[in-house]
Amino acid sequence: NALGAGRIFDQGAKLVENSINHGEFFKSDTWKKLVERVKKNNSTFHFIGLLSDGNVHAHIRHVLAMLRQCSQEGVQKVRLHILLDGRDVYEKSASKYIGETEKLLTELNQKGHDYAIASGGGRMITTMDRYNADWSIVKRGWDAHVLGKARQFSSALQAVETFYKEDPNVNDQYLPSFVIVKNEKPVGTIENGDSVVFFNFRGDRAIELSMAFDQGQEFNKFDRERVPDVLFAGMMEYDGDLHIPKHYLVSPPLIERAVSVYMCDNKIKTFAISETQKFGHVTYFWNGNKSGFVCKDLETYVEIPSDKVQFDKTPAMKAYEITDKTIELLKSGEYKFGRVNFPNGDMVGHTGVEKAIIESVEHTDSCMNKLIKVVNELRGITVVLADH
């Protein structure tokens, strides 16, 4: 975002934190409507999101603040649908965040409420797909959160401990989806009249579930089986161009005059290339959280489909395909500016598998060497940037 904007803007985490701390968050029309709906219908308030303090996609502090506010405002029934991290935080830390949440739920339930965890799963298996890479991930989330269809457990902690025992090598991000049951029935399916908040503030992995809730018959990514009549809101507007979701709690920064706008206004032809896992980083994020082209006649976007496997299994990912296509674009002589993302350091790095990480860096290094030689032959400039 900052590279594409050419300036630094307050982003999701800081915007949400400030809004909650200053009290504006709970004064918004969207929050008021969410609360009014469940109180009027005597229905359930649901929260879906990443339960950790990684502060990349979400922060546990935000959902705990919303739980406290629900209690203060007299919301009787709340259900949490938790996505386990193990990626932006320690790989087996789910029990820490579940424990912190359960402690607050117990405290609030002593006031006569009915607040509980209803479903969950690892973020790379359940709900948090991005860039249309694998909609089955979203379907698993929909099945668990909305329909109550997943492996059943009596508590979230039991689910996590069972998965650890069954596969000692698994980490939180890859834990299967699960549903909490009582008397053999799911404790928190999403029904007509309910309110739902997706408490992730970052857009890329929140857009697809938002579409599943917001869209009507035009939705064709998977069979939702049942689409409850709910008021759905995101923590933020995740896509400013497509206005996804329709309702949100904190307004995002308005990023105007991004680098791509400047380039197009000056008739400079550019390209952007990556594989699916990072395609949105060189397009959507780069362009200020906006989908689509600035000027299709002057821009070429190349998405190389990512493999649908755990990233430590294929540490090269699509680095060589990205490199070959980039060299083809460079040698065409059409473009004055290009942006390339090799996802390996990020996606393989987050697995924590040392051998695969080393291989991924070696593959990326080899590809960078090829690219830099071509750019030098063309008397161009290469800028190498990394945040991982």
Side-chain angles (χ1 to χ4, degrees):
N1 262 146
L3 291 170
R7 293 151 288 161
I8 296 171
F9 288 83
D10 284 350
Q11 292 293 338
K14 191 170 183 180
L15 289 172
V16 172
E17 190 79 14
N18 289 342
S19 182
I20 290 174
N21 290 343
H22 297 152
E24 295 149 0
F25 188 94
F26 300 116
K27 294 175 185 174
S28 70
D29 287 342
T30 299
W31 176 263
K32 289 176 182 176
K33 287 174 182 175
L34 290 161
V35 171
E36 286 168 5
R37 181 181 179 87
V38 295
K39 291 177 75 173
K40 178 184 174 183
N41 296 330
N42 193 27
S43 57
T44 306
F45 203 142
H46 299 265
F47 294 97
I48 304 170
L50 189 65
L51 194 73
S52 85
D53 55 7
N55 213 35
V56 176
H57 290 268
H59 199 297
I60 187 173
R61 190 164 54 233
H62 301 157
V63 69
L64 297 186
M66 289 189 283
L67 291 173
R68 294 188 186 97
Q69 186 69 21
C70 281
S71 174
Q72 289 177 23
E73 296 194 37
V75 174
Q76 183 61 26
K77 188 174 180 180
V78 171
R79 291 294 181 263
L80 277 168
H81 307 270
I82 59 173
L83 305 171
L84 307 175
D85 195 343
R87 187 175 177 85
D88 298 320
V89 294
Y90 175 61
E91 63 182 18
K92 288 192 174 182
S93 55
S95 59
K96 168 188 171 184
Y97 303 109
I98 291 170
E100 189 176 343
T101 305
E102 292 282 17
K103 182 180 178 183
L104 177 61
L105 294 176
T106 299
E107 177 188 318
L108 298 178
N109 285 338
Q110 287 171 351
K111 299 179 181 180
H113 301 307
D114 177 10
Y115 291 9
I117 295 173
S119 72
R123 55 180 283 181
M124 299 301 285
I125 298 294
T126 310
T127 304
M128 284 176 59
D129 184 45
R130 66 179 175 194
Y131 310 146
N132 301 299
D134 186 356
W135 274 91
S136 69
I137 293 171
V138 187
K139 184 183 189 305
R140 282 191 286 273
W142 183 271
D143 288 351
H145 313 324
V146 178
L147 306 178
K149 291 183 176 183
R151 188 171 171 185
Q152 298 182 345
F153 295 91
S154 60
S155 72
L157 194 57
Q158 184 200 37
V160 170
E161 290 175 346
T162 301
F163 293 140
Y164 287 170
K165 286 177 185 175
E166 291 177 350
D167 181 1
N169 296 317
V170 76
N171 67 35
D172 293 343
Q173 61 183 317
Y174 292 111
L175 293 180
S177 55
F178 60 86
V179 169
I180 309 305
V181 297
K182 188 174 182 181
N183 299 324
E184 299 183 356
K185 290 186 177 181
V187 301
T189 55
I190 298 176
E191 305 293 337
N192 292 339
D194 289 350
S195 290
V196 182
V197 166
F198 197 176
F199 62 85
N200 284 17
F201 48 71
R202 177 165 149 172
D204 56 347
R205 292 192 184 273
I207 286 173
E208 292 177 29
L209 185 70
S210 299
M211 291 169 60
F213 273 104
D214 270 356
Q215 290 185 2
Q217 293 182 347
E218 72 274 21
F219 184 84
N220 60 3
K221 303 301 183 181
F222 60 85
D223 181 5
R224 292 175 290 181
E225 294 185 38
R226 175 174 64 83
V227 184
D229 177 15
V230 300
L231 177 57
F232 175 84
M235 200 62 134
M236 307 188 73
E237 184 180 41
Y238 303 129
D239 190 310
D241 265 6
L242 301 178
H243 300 299
I244 301 172
K246 296 173 185 174
H247 305 282
Y248 50 93
L249 289 156
V250 179
S251 296
L254 178 63
I255 301 176
E256 296 179 306
R257 293 176 289 114
V259 169
S260 294
V261 175
Y262 175 83
M263 296 279 188
C264 289
D265 281 353
N266 284 276
K267 308 302 180 190
I268 296 169
K269 292 195 76 172
T270 68
F271 68 84
I273 181 170
S274 186
E275 61 178 276
T276 305
Q277 286 297 332
K278 290 291 178 179
F279 180 66
H281 284 57
V282 291
T283 54
Y284 164 82
F285 279 126
W286 180 274
N287 290 334
N289 302 335
K290 294 180 178 67
S291 299
F293 295 92
V294 175
C295 177
K296 199 168 185 177
D297 293 337
L298 294 169
E299 298 174 293
T300 296
Y301 293 171
V302 180
E303 176 185 359
I304 295 170
S306 293
D307 293 324
K308 296 178 182 179
V309 297
Q310 293 185 16
F311 302 110
D312 57 295
K313 309 298 185 205
T314 55
M317 298 186 68
K318 297 297 180 181
Y320 293 98
E321 292 88 337
I322 291 170
T323 302
D324 291 345
K325 185 62 181 178
T326 301
I327 290 171
E328 178 188 320
L329 293 167
L330 290 169
K331 288 187 172 180
S332 73
E334 283 190 54
Y335 305 97
K336 295 291 185 184
F337 180 85
R339 49 196 185 272
V340 184
N341 188 306
F342 289 108
N344 309 61
D346 183 354
M347 308 309 292
V348 183
H350 275 305
T351 68
V353 179
E354 184 176 2
K355 182 175 182 292
I357 293 168
I358 292 169
E359 285 184 31
S360 78
V361 174
E362 290 172 342
H363 289 305
T364 307
D365 190 50
S366 173
C367 291
M368 285 299 304
N369 184 44
K370 290 181 182 178
L371 279 186
I372 291 169
K373 284 181 177 177
V374 172
V375 174
N376 288 347
E377 288 169 8
L378 297 170
R379 300 177 65 193
I381 298 167
T382 306
V383 180
V384 183
L385 301 156
D387 69 345
H388 288 72

